[in-house]
């Protein structure tokens, strides 16, 4: 029974495709998707701060620019602490 189970597990590993991680960087609002050809891979580059910046990089390439669906937005400014002094009347 075990050899059949091992053979089935090995067969499953052989037919499983590679796992892909999330390609979207939540720190940038715009992504460029570059379409692959026969010799080049397809990839997503999320390192743009505006659509015109992305479109300038995508110009002349098989690529398109989209809004990043995982953009987290600007980071909030750290809260400053207000120090209040107490006046002690003696």
């Amino acid at each position: 029974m075990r050899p059949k189970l091992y053979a089935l597990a090995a067969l499953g590993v052989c037919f499983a495709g590679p796992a892909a991680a999330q390609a979207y960087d939540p720190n940038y609002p715009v992504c460029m998707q570059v379409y692959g050809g026969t010799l080049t891979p397809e990839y997503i580059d999320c390192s743009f701060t505006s659509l015109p910046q992305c479109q300038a990089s995508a110009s002349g390439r098989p690529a398109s620019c989209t809004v990043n669906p995982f953009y987290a937005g600007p980071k909030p400014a750290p809260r400053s602490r207000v120090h209040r002094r107490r006046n002690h009347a003696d």
Side-chain angles (χ1 to χ4, degrees):
M1 180 69 178
R2 280 193 179 173
K4 289 181 184 179
L5 184 60
Y6 289 137
L8 184 61
L11 190 62
V13 169
C14 290
F15 285 111
Q22 178 179 336
Y24 297 98
D25 186 356
N27 297 320
Y28 294 96
V30 180
C31 296
M32 176 175 64
Q33 181 174 1
V34 179
Y35 303 105
T38 55
L39 299 176
T40 57
E42 183 173 316
Y43 64 94
I44 296 173
D45 179 14
C46 292
S47 61
F48 300 99
T49 56
S50 67
L51 278 171
Q53 179 190 23
C54 178
Q55 290 168 343
S57 294
S59 179
R61 300 167 64 180
S64 65
C65 297
T66 58
V67 176
N68 186 351
F70 298 101
Y71 178 55
K75 295 180 181 175
R79 294 177 54 188
S80 62
R81 292 186 177 191
V82 177
H83 296 287
R84 295 183 183 177
R85 295 185 181 187
R86 293 185 183 178
N87 291 333
H88 294 286
D90 291 316

